[in-house]
Amino acid sequence: MGVPGPFPGSPGRPDAPVPDREEVDRALERLGAEYEAIETSLLALQDHAGRRLLEGAELSGTTKERWAAAERSITVLWSLFDAYTAALESARELRERRRWPSAEDLAELTELLHGEGVTVPGAAAADGTPEDGPARPDERFSLEGLVARMNGLYARSLDVIVAADAVWSALPARIDLLSAELQRTRSLAHSVGVRPGEHPAGDDLERITEELLRLRERVIADPLAFWVSSSTGSSAPGGGRPDTGRYDRAARALEDIRREVAAVLDVRQDAERRLMQLRDVLSRADRTLTEARQARGEVLAKIAASEVPAVSGPSTALHEQLAAAADYRRRAQWHRLSPLLDSLEERAEDELHRARESLTAVTAPLAVRAELRGRLDAYRAKVARHGMADDPLLTERYDLARRMLWSGPCDLRAAGQAVWRYQQAAAEALVPQQLEGRGES
């Protein structure tokens, strides 16, 4: 038998009839094979890597308690195995006395093989639990009962060893790898200004570092605190899995920080380009506002009776923040520069949009005047094509509208009415021409 399976059971029943010589020999042969399987399992348990680690570790908590119980169980296991060995040796010696055993020999062999003839001291019969109160009396077992008792002790002991070994095999190495990755991330973070007390991610790095230190210490001292038994109810030793919840949370937190640091690195690589683009956008906004202020002065000089909106100056706050961003870049304070650039880029575009809207609003009266001028000239050309350019009424109304539109300050409302009157007169004058043309056709 091999680790981690249970020991094989002894053949036969306590009340079995007296066997003959061949049955005794077959039973002894099976017992010999059983003995070798039990010995192999116990030696494998003794040499198990998890057992050696448990013996050399400074344990605490659940693991300390369960390993103490497992050590007692292992001690009892060897005591029970010694009793089993002694009983088997006695049966072999009895069988080897005669080639043809007598009826008395067979009866005695039957008792050794099937009866409760194995005496176990009370301490060994205590199932590996600590002794409280008076000393336990000796107990008698059959070979089958002895194997059943060893099976229980073996399974409980192996369960502790396998579970602890599984946790130690899984978690410390992963924690060490994560700690190494954390150190690389910390070095990179420090190079871009993400440090404790200066950036939340720097504080998070310190917190994760402390958490991994505490986690590793706890895993080494109390591995069974990180063992989740199988939910299927399996009785096999080591049925379950390591609990990686705390490790997984630390790994996710570190991944979040790595992404944030990567974003800061991107800022460092693109900082100059983005700053140049910001300067260009703000410069265009400033030029547009300057143009709007100049246009407002022109409008006020050339257009009368018009509401012209005021034009604000350049945004002092944006220019101050742009200067601060440039200073952050010079000082390599990338963690401060990153959010500031994001904010500035959005606000700079808003500032340019505002400047363009201001210019449009200020120059609207000039656009209205230009539209009126264009309309007046278009009707003048239409009248001329029909040979009515010298019509006195049309000439009078055209000259009036033209003087109003080309002299300053221009009253847009009055000029618009004058253009409209010219349009009406031109339309009335052109009606006979159009009717005559249709009649001839």
Side-chain angles (χ1 to χ4, degrees):
M1 121 108 233
V3 175
F7 305 135
S10 296
R13 303 185 311 276
D15 56 351
V18 175
D20 58 22
R21 178 178 63 85
E22 292 181 355
E23 289 175 333
V24 167
D25 289 343
R26 286 195 297 269
L28 286 173
E29 184 177 354
R30 286 193 297 269
L31 286 171
E34 177 181 282
Y35 170 85
E36 291 179 0
I38 294 173
E39 184 180 41
T40 299
S41 296
L42 288 178
L43 291 175
L45 183 67
Q46 194 76 9
D47 293 335
H48 197 288
R51 182 182 187 277
R52 293 195 297 272
L53 289 172
L54 283 165
E55 285 183 332
E58 293 289 336
L59 302 176
S60 64
T62 300
T63 306
K64 183 177 181 179
E65 295 175 3
R66 292 188 61 188
W67 174 236
E71 283 190 305
R72 290 191 295 269
S73 295
I74 292 172
T75 300
V76 171
L77 263 174
W78 282 104
S79 298
L80 296 179
F81 180 66
D82 290 342
Y84 184 92
T85 302
L88 178 59
E89 289 298 324
S90 297
R92 283 173 171 170
E93 290 176 2
L94 178 58
R95 174 64 186 89
E96 290 172 357
R97 287 178 187 173
R98 300 180 182 86
R99 181 177 180 182
W100 302 99
S102 63
E104 291 78 6
D105 292 339
L106 291 175
E108 188 175 350
L109 283 169
T110 300
E111 177 62 23
L112 284 174
L113 296 176
H114 305 297
E116 296 184 349
V118 183
T119 301
V120 176
D127 210 16
T129 56
E131 293 186 43
D132 295 319
R136 293 173 61 100
D138 295 347
E139 291 187 32
R140 295 179 65 82
F141 290 89
S142 65
L143 290 178
E144 185 177 4
L146 200 59
V147 170
R149 175 62 58 87
M150 285 191 289
N151 269 330
L153 293 172
Y154 176 84
R156 289 198 298 271
S157 303
L158 187 61
D159 185 62
V160 172
I161 293 171
V162 170
D165 186 51
V167 172
W168 278 335
S169 297
L171 274 174
R174 296 173 70 180
I175 293 171
D176 290 342
L177 288 174
L178 189 61
S179 296
E181 180 61 32
L182 186 145
Q183 292 304 318
R184 289 191 291 271
T185 303
R186 173 189 281 177
S187 298
L188 190 59
H190 282 198
S191 71
V192 295
V194 178
R195 299 182 179 90
E198 298 181 11
H199 192 281
D203 297 330
D204 291 340
L205 278 172
E206 291 300 304
R207 179 182 57 78
I208 297 172
T209 300
E210 294 172 1
E211 166 65 4
L212 290 180
L213 288 173
R214 290 193 299 268
L215 178 60
R216 195 181 195 285
E217 291 175 357
R218 180 80 189 281
V219 167
I220 295 301
D222 191 8
L224 295 185
F226 298 88
W227 182 254
V228 179
S229 297
S230 175
S231 59
T232 61
S234 172
S235 59
R241 60 175 178 81
D243 179 6
T244 61
R246 284 177 62 180
Y247 167 86
D248 293 337
R249 287 190 293 273
R252 287 194 297 269
L254 180 58
E255 181 60 28
D256 290 341
I257 295 173
R258 287 199 310 194
R259 283 196 293 267
E260 186 165 351
V261 171
V264 174
L265 279 171
D266 290 340
V267 170
R268 182 174 69 175
Q269 294 170 357
D270 294 342
E272 184 58 31
R273 177 186 59 81
R274 294 174 70 182
L275 282 171
M276 289 179 64
Q277 289 178 344
L278 276 170
R279 292 189 187 99
D280 178 63
V281 171
L282 288 180
S283 177
R284 282 187 286 155
D286 292 347
R287 289 196 302 271
T288 303
L289 288 174
T290 299
E291 184 180 351
R293 285 193 296 273
Q294 293 171 349
R296 186 173 188 273
E298 181 182 353
V299 169
L300 292 175
K302 295 181 178 181
I303 306 296
S306 178
E307 293 294 331
V308 183
V311 180
S312 65
S315 173
T316 304
L318 283 178
H319 283 279
E320 290 176 350
Q321 291 179 354
L322 181 59
D327 184 61
Y328 288 153
R329 182 184 177 280
R330 285 192 298 272
R331 297 172 179 270
Q333 294 181 330
W334 311 110
H335 63 292
R336 297 181 185 274
L337 179 59
S338 176
L340 181 56
L341 283 178
D342 292 340
S343 172
L344 274 174
E345 286 168 343
E346 180 177 353
R347 294 176 62 193
E349 289 294 336
D350 290 344
E351 177 70 4
L352 179 58
H353 181 69
R354 182 182 69 85
R356 287 169 173 168
E357 287 185 334
S358 182
L359 177 61
T360 300
V362 164
T363 57
L366 293 177
V368 172
R369 187 184 68 172
E371 189 274 333
L372 289 173
R373 286 178 173 180
R375 195 192 319 167
L376 180 65
D377 288 342
Y379 270 89
R380 174 68 171 175
K382 184 175 182 180
V383 168
R385 285 197 304 272
H386 285 82
M388 301 180 66
D390 295 330
D391 183 278
L393 178 62
L394 292 177
T395 299
E396 178 187 353
R397 291 191 177 182
Y398 173 78
D399 290 341
L400 176 62
R402 192 177 192 286
R403 282 195 304 271
M404 295 179 71
L405 286 171
W406 267 268
S407 62
C410 172
D411 186 334
L412 286 178
R413 182 175 300 176
Q417 291 174 351
V419 171
W420 181 81
R421 285 195 296 271
Y422 177 72
Q423 289 179 235
Q424 289 295 105
E428 291 173 359
L430 291 173
V431 168
Q433 296 281 343
Q434 293 170 349
L435 289 175
E436 183 179 344
R438 285 199 293 271
E440 291 177 353
S441 63

